[in-house]
Amino acid sequence: MMVWLRPTSKRRSLILGCFFLVTLRTMLFVIQFYKEETARTRKPARVQTGGGETPVLPPVWNNLVKWKKEDFPKRQRKRLIIYWSGVRGHKVPVQKSGVNHTNYWPFFYAGQPGECPVPCELSNDQSRAAEASAFVVHARPPDISNLPPIENLAPWILQTNENPVYTPTLYNARIMSQFNLLISYRLDSDFPAPIYPMPGLDPPIPFQKRQGDILAIFSKCEPVRTEYMRQLMKYIQVDSYGACLKNKEGLIGLYGKINNKYVFKDHKLVLTRHYKFSLVFMNQDCDYFIDDRLYHALTTGSVPIFMGTDKVDEFLPGNLKNSIIKVSDFKSPKELAKYLKYLSNNETAYNKYLEWKWKGLGNILNTTIGRWWKPRHPLFCQVCMALAKGKLHRGLRLDYCQPRRYEDWGLKDPNADIQNHYSTFLYVGFVLFVIVILVS
């Protein structure tokens, strides 16, 4: 026994090798554990230590829909709302007239003179700060760094159309505690304003004249939706025109211009009409997060294959309720592909998803999204009305969202195989190292 304890060069090498292996494997374990724990909690340490959630009053929207012109005195002082920040670094283009939701965001419009029950003006002129009844700030960087002057004592309004995974402001207690109203894609916010226009009723291209089955256009390759599309491609043809798993040419780039005008979405709408299905995979699964990708598919008559929030039904009022195929209804990409192949060869079954095109949307005005599509008053007129009623919060509630995970969508993490192969390689290498030491 004492012989083995003698410090020979071979034994020293073995001991150092064992120590190196244990140290390296421990480091890999700690790194993996940290990544999984961070993804699970989604609360960065600087936010967790900043205190609990700020109390929030009930959403203004529930009261707002009941307000009428008679609810306000005939003589009202004018409310001036200043959009203080830019949007994605660009100055806000205040609108002088109503525009179609498909062409403008975030609908910088307060109404024509006399249109709003409360005299209301929206401006981007920061020199008028002393006159302001409220300031609006966009939640994404770099705009959120440009906060209004606190000496004016006017309420602050936060506006966002991106989810918390990509908008750290929404779970930053220090920032959220300073705002009094929220304009957001969320249907439970003070002023729901998602980038999701009302789908049109134009007849779709007939079933037999569609040029392709499944269309995919993703400019940002979020790992889980990209992996789901990769797996789906094993069982059915998917034409991908975007940056992710691209296998088709012919669509102008996301920021492509013709005559100095961005035309990507116009071209996308034309292309989408010729496909039976469109992959409408949101970039995360956060509550209420929807954008115009769903609109593009619906309005062109390309049946959406939807991956995203489980609250999507609230965005499908009336006859739209059976207009999409939910990825969550299928255990695997293989099962989904089987169902899509069935629909691709069965015109009657396929057309059931498009019945709303002929029946119409139905009764939608008793829904939140319906009131967004057909508002009684322009968006910022509604804000002025809330200001006149004094409907303000003392801070906004924090909004957390867990990043999407592979297992949530019936997928195996492709990185897990790489880690397993690396561990195997590590152990095999160590065994070879021991053998070389022993036989030398």
Side-chain angles (χ1 to χ4, degrees):
M1 179 68 177
M2 298 300 294
V3 174
W4 277 99
L5 297 178
R6 294 174 184 173
T8 65
S9 59
K10 288 185 178 181
R11 294 188 187 110
R12 277 197 296 266
S13 298
L14 282 173
I15 292 170
L16 288 174
C18 288
F19 177 77
F20 173 76
L21 175 65
V22 171
T23 302
L24 184 59
R25 196 69 189 91
T26 302
M27 289 176 61
L28 290 173
F29 172 78
V30 170
I31 291 171
Q32 182 63 21
F33 176 81
Y34 175 78
K35 288 170 63 178
E36 291 178 355
E37 186 67 10
T38 301
R40 185 180 68 82
T41 60
R42 255 311 281 160
K43 298 180 182 180
R46 64 179 183 275
V47 176
Q48 285 181 314
T49 58
E53 296 186 8
T54 304
V56 63
L57 298 178
V60 170
W61 178 263
N62 293 334
N63 297 321
L64 187 62
V65 294
K66 301 176 184 177
W67 292 342
K68 301 177 182 178
K69 191 170 184 178
E70 305 84 61
D71 295 331
F72 298 89
K74 290 185 178 180
R75 291 196 175 186
Q76 282 272 342
R77 68 178 178 85
K78 184 178 184 180
R79 265 71 180 184
L80 171 65
I81 302 173
I82 295 182
Y83 209 113
W84 185 261
S85 74
V87 172
R88 300 185 183 275
H90 301 285
K91 194 170 184 178
V92 166
V94 174
Q95 299 164 218
K96 301 301 181 183
S97 62
V99 295
N100 188 304
H101 291 342
T102 61
N103 300 320
Y104 249 102
W105 181 84
F107 327 123
F108 309 108
Y109 184 52
Q112 297 288 344
E115 183 179 353
C116 187
V118 176
C120 184
E121 180 185 358
L122 178 66
S123 174
N124 58 16
D125 186 356
Q126 294 187 352
S127 68
R128 301 178 64 187
E131 309 171 43
S133 300
F135 297 99
V136 185
V137 178
H138 185 232
R140 293 293 301 280
D143 315 314
I144 193 63
S145 301
N146 182 18
L147 295 176
I150 59 174
E151 59 268 20
N152 291 85
L153 301 179
W156 290 7
I157 302 167
L158 189 68
Q159 181 157 23
T160 181
N161 273 84
E162 185 56 275
N163 64 68
V165 174
Y166 304 110
T167 312
T169 297
L170 299 177
Y171 53 82
N172 186 315
R174 180 183 62 82
I175 295 178
M176 294 293 278
S177 66
Q178 300 180 71
F179 285 87
N180 309 107
L181 289 170
L182 178 64
I183 302 173
S184 169
Y185 63 86
R186 294 185 63 108
L187 297 187
D188 61 352
S189 65
D190 298 314
F191 305 98
I195 311 179
Y196 174 52
M198 183 170 66
L201 297 176
D202 293 341
I205 290 178
F207 181 85
Q208 299 296 341
K209 294 186 178 181
R210 303 290 180 106
Q211 297 176 1
D213 284 339
I214 305 175
L215 171 70
I217 304 174
F218 301 122
S219 58
K220 295 179 176 60
C221 304
E222 188 275 322
V224 179
R225 71 178 177 188
T226 303
E227 179 62 20
Y228 197 99
M229 181 166 69
R230 188 196 315 276
Q231 296 299 323
L232 190 64
M233 285 176 163
K234 293 180 180 180
Y235 308 105
I236 193 171
Q237 176 64 34
V238 178
D239 291 350
S240 177
Y241 289 81
C244 312
L245 307 180
K246 185 173 184 176
N247 58 16
K248 282 284 186 177
E249 300 289 343
L251 180 64
I252 196 168
L254 180 61
Y255 299 106
K257 289 184 176 182
I258 294 179
N259 297 327
N260 205 35
K261 178 185 176 183
Y262 292 109
V263 295
F264 168 76
K265 289 188 177 181
D266 293 335
H267 288 207
K268 177 184 175 182
L269 287 170
V270 173
L271 178 64
T272 305
R273 284 179 56 82
H274 295 276
Y275 280 83
K276 293 175 183 173
F277 307 97
S278 290
L279 296 188
V280 179
F281 293 0
M282 299 294 116
N283 60 22
Q284 291 295 333
D285 305 325
C286 304
D287 282 351
Y288 294 107
F289 182 67
I290 294 287
D291 62 21
D292 55 359
R293 278 170 284 201
L294 181 56
Y295 160 79
H296 293 155
L298 288 171
T299 205
T300 57
S302 181
V303 175
I305 304 168
F306 181 82
M307 172 189 283
T309 175
D310 57 8
K311 296 185 183 295
V312 65
D313 289 338
E314 295 185 39
F315 293 84
L316 302 169
N319 294 328
L320 284 171
K321 62 183 178 181
N322 297 317
S323 62
I324 71 171
I325 297 169
K326 298 177 185 177
V327 173
S328 58
D329 289 341
F330 299 87
K331 293 181 179 179
S332 66
K334 184 177 182 179
E335 281 195 11
L336 174 60
K338 181 179 179 181
Y339 182 65
L340 296 177
K341 286 180 179 179
Y342 162 72
L343 292 179
S344 294
N345 295 297
N346 190 320
E347 183 174 358
T348 301
Y350 173 83
N351 282 336
K352 288 183 179 179
Y353 287 94
L354 297 175
E355 284 183 347
W356 64 274
K357 283 282 189 179
W358 295 279
K359 291 181 178 179
L361 297 178
N363 182 16
I364 63 173
L365 294 181
N366 61 345
T367 65
T368 302
I369 191 63
R371 291 189 291 265
W372 165 238
W373 290 341
K374 295 185 177 182
R376 184 180 295 172
H377 303 289
L379 175 60
F380 280 96
C381 168
Q382 298 172 21
V383 177
C384 284
M385 293 164 71
L387 294 173
K389 286 290 186 180
K391 297 293 184 179
L392 302 174
H393 305 314
R394 295 165 58 185
L396 301 177
R397 67 174 179 263
L398 305 185
D399 189 1
Y400 296 111
C401 177
Q402 180 177 330
R404 180 181 281 154
R405 301 179 301 178
Y406 291 99
E407 55 266 34
D408 294 338
W409 295 98
L411 299 173
K412 184 178 179 181
D413 185 350
N415 298 317
D417 290 335
I418 297 176
Q419 293 168 3
N420 292 336
H421 292 329
Y422 185 79
S423 296
T424 302
F425 174 78
L426 194 65
Y427 292 134
V428 170
F430 178 70
V431 170
L432 292 176
F433 169 76
V434 171
I435 293 173
V436 170
I437 291 294
L438 292 176
V439 301
S440 61

